[in-house]
Amino acid sequence: MMDPIFSARANCLFDRANLVSDNPIFAKWALGAPIAVFGNWVGGRVQVSGTEISFAMNGMNRLFQHDTAALSVPLHQVSSVRFGKMFKLARTVDCDTADGTLRFRCFGRQNDALLAAISAAMSPESSATKPTTRP
C-alpha cells in the first residue's frame, strides 16, 4: 500500500461464517449472542491510500476468525461510498463493490473523515489516483 491518506482504528463487518465458534474464550464470554444480533464486527485498522482501501484485524479479533488475512480493495472496484446505519444506533461507512458492500464503523467523528478520504481518493480530480509520469 502507498502511504495512507487516512488511517484509524475501526470495525469491519465480516461474514458470520468467518467466526471460530469453538474457541473456548468465545464460549466462556458468550460472545455468540451479541454477534447474532449485531453481526461479526471485527476490530482493527482501516487505511485509505490513493489506490486502495485496506483493513487489518487486531490481535484479539484474529483469535476469533478463520480468515485473518488483511483485506484490500482497489478503489477502482468501489462504485460508491455512503453513510449507512447499523440498526439505527451507529453510523457506518458503506463501500459498494461488484462483490457486495464493505462496511466500516469508526469511532467518534472518524466516520466523517473516512468517508471524505475515500470520496477524495475516488475523485477524478484527485492527484492521488492519477498515474504519475516521469519526464
Side-chain angles (χ1 to χ4, degrees):
M1 172 181 251
M2 299 171 45
D3 287 336
I5 57 176
F6 176 85
S7 181
R9 289 184 334 156
N11 293 303
C12 183
L13 185 60
F14 278 73
D15 190 297
R16 286 185 180 105
N18 199 46
L19 282 168
V20 178
S21 58
D22 60 347
N23 185 312
I25 298 171
F26 185 88
K28 181 179 178 182
W29 287 354
L31 295 177
I35 290 171
V37 173
F38 296 109
N40 183 18
W41 286 96
V42 177
R45 179 159 294 277
V46 64
Q47 292 187 323
V48 180
S49 75
T51 59
E52 68 183 10
I53 304 166
S54 65
F55 179 80
M57 294 178 193
N58 62 33
M60 179 66 149
N61 279 276
R62 283 193 297 270
L63 296 172
F64 300 102
Q65 306 296 319
H66 289 290
D67 182 1
T68 61
L71 175 68
S72 178
V73 178
L75 284 173
H76 71 269
Q77 291 182 5
V78 178
S79 57
S80 67
V81 62
R82 60 189 158 69
F83 286 122
K85 289 277 188 184
M86 182 185 90
F87 291 102
K88 293 184 180 179
L89 305 174
R91 192 162 61 164
T92 62
V93 175
D94 298 350
C95 303
D96 296 316
T97 71
D99 295 327
T101 301
L102 184 61
R103 301 188 88 187
F104 296 103
R105 189 180 72 214
C106 295
F107 303 100
R109 291 211 159 285
Q110 293 292 335
N111 278 331
D112 297 328
L114 174 59
L115 184 96
I118 295 170
S119 297
M122 289 175 62
S123 169
E125 296 83 34
S126 171
S127 61
T129 59
K130 292 182 183 173
T132 57
T133 57
R134 297 185 186 255

